[in-house]
Amino acid sequence: MNGTTTTTRLRSPPNTKSKPPPPTNGHFSLSPDSDMVKKKSSATSLSGYVGDAHFLKWTAADALALPRHHPVPCVFAASLLFFMAVEYTLSMIPPMAAPFDLGFVATTTLHRLLAARPALNTLLAGLNTVFVGMQTSYILWTWVIEGRPRATISALFMFTCRGILGYATQLPLPQGFLGSGADFPVGNVSFFLFYSGHVAASVIASLDMKRMQRWELAYAFDTLNVLQVVRLLTTRGHYTIDLAVGVGAGVLFDSLAGKYVESKKGGAALCNGNENGGLHKSPK
């Protein structure tokens, strides 16, 4: 009063939030209650997962119907068990012994036939070289003439990977190898064994033919490829594993090349200005 004004100071409401517990050794300690809550939550979560497990919904009828509805996986499962038994009971090949190759065993008679007839071996080697030329010509034709680079890119991927793997693990030349100067590579020169570029390139060409519905040509290539495999085993020019992986490599690199070409569509061209692939931007 007395000419002076008084101001009322408003007090802030008391802080109702609970303060965190004091740190212990630089870390906040958890109370036993919160620890118990966490354990209970983890146990509930785990029981929830187990309760929803797929195998708990299986019935005897499902098990009995499995071979009928899914025969291929069942065959693979039986094969897994069989080869596990074989692997655990098989004697290893000694370090200085020749590799065991089932394809060589199967073609023993043909091997003796070609060994006794060098002229026939040379003729078949020359025909094999012609077939390699057919593969190469078709693969290049699809890009240079038809403007479809997928098969060419696939072959480039495949031979690059073959060079890396072939150099990384250099297999010994099989015993009884029947070489010929007419065979590819021409001149009876050295070559990588793993994996077979002959077989892989033929698969790449055949897959392209099937995509284009050139069925007769594709079946002809597949037949020649089978004959090529038999001849390579007979002459000991490749191990069986080289030929089997060659088939897989052809399929794999054809798929990878397809993904690459698909990723380059719409705005890139492979030297011919279309949208089938990409090395440089197509002119506007």
Side-chain angles (χ1 to χ4, degrees):
M1 319 292 181
N2 299 332
T4 61
T5 59
T6 59
T7 59
T8 304
R9 178 175 294 176
L10 299 175
R11 290 185 177 182
S12 58
N15 190 2
T16 58
K17 294 182 178 178
S18 60
K19 294 181 180 180
T24 305
N25 297 330
H27 299 284
F28 289 102
S29 63
L30 292 174
S31 64
D33 291 341
S34 63
D35 198 20
M36 191 178 300
V37 169
K38 276 199 167 185
K39 286 181 179 177
K40 196 175 290 185
S41 172
S42 300
T44 305
S45 174
L46 181 61
S47 65
Y49 278 120
V50 174
D52 292 336
H54 182 62
F55 75 91
L56 293 177
K57 303 170 187 175
W58 295 354
T59 65
D62 292 332
L64 293 174
L66 190 62
R68 181 161 51 90
H69 293 294
H70 303 284
V72 173
C74 288
V75 170
F76 286 161
S79 299
L80 170 64
L81 296 175
F82 171 75
F83 283 110
M84 283 178 63
V86 170
E87 187 173 358
Y88 274 90
T89 56
L90 196 67
S91 299
M92 300 294 289
I93 303 296
M96 301 306 293
F100 172 80
D101 193 298
L102 190 60
F104 290 1
V105 174
T107 55
T108 300
T109 303
L110 293 174
H111 177 75
R112 291 173 182 159
L113 176 68
L114 289 188
R117 294 172 173 79
L120 178 59
N121 182 42
T122 300
L123 174 63
L124 295 178
L127 293 175
N128 181 71
T129 299
V130 171
F131 182 46
V132 172
M134 291 166 60
Q135 301 169 15
T136 307
S137 299
Y138 179 84
I139 290 172
L140 291 176
W141 176 281
T142 60
W143 172 36
V144 176
I145 305 300
E146 298 179 356
R148 297 183 300 104
R150 177 170 172 171
T152 304
I153 295 172
S154 177
L156 293 174
F157 283 4
M158 181 271 293
F159 278 110
T160 299
C161 186
R162 177 180 178 269
I164 294 170
L165 294 178
Y167 184 80
T169 302
Q170 300 174 37
L171 300 175
L173 194 66
Q175 293 182 5
F177 170 62
L178 301 176
S180 171
D183 203 356
F184 185 87
V186 179
N188 209 14
V189 297
S190 60
F191 55 93
F192 291 134
L193 284 166
F194 188 84
Y195 43 84
S196 173
H198 292 73
V199 172
S202 181
V203 169
I204 289 171
S206 175
L207 289 173
D208 186 88
M209 293 167 187
K210 290 167 185 170
R211 272 193 302 272
M212 301 304 295
Q213 298 186 355
R214 297 165 177 166
W215 301 109
E216 293 81 2
L217 195 56
Y219 294 147
F221 260 60
D222 289 341
T223 301
L224 291 173
N225 202 12
V226 170
L227 295 174
Q228 173 180 242
V229 165
V230 174
R231 192 198 74 88
L232 288 169
L233 287 173
T234 300
T235 62
R236 310 302 189 244
H238 271 295
Y239 294 105
T240 301
I241 194 170
D242 306 331
L243 304 169
V245 175
V247 175
V251 175
L252 171 64
F253 289 109
D254 177 76
S255 175
L256 292 178
K259 287 179 170 51
Y260 175 81
V261 169
E262 195 67 28
S263 71
K264 294 297 181 180
K265 278 189 176 180
L270 188 61
C271 297
N272 58 4
N274 65 25
E275 58 177 16
N276 286 323
L279 285 183
H280 65 271
K281 292 292 183 182
S282 58
K284 299 294 183 183

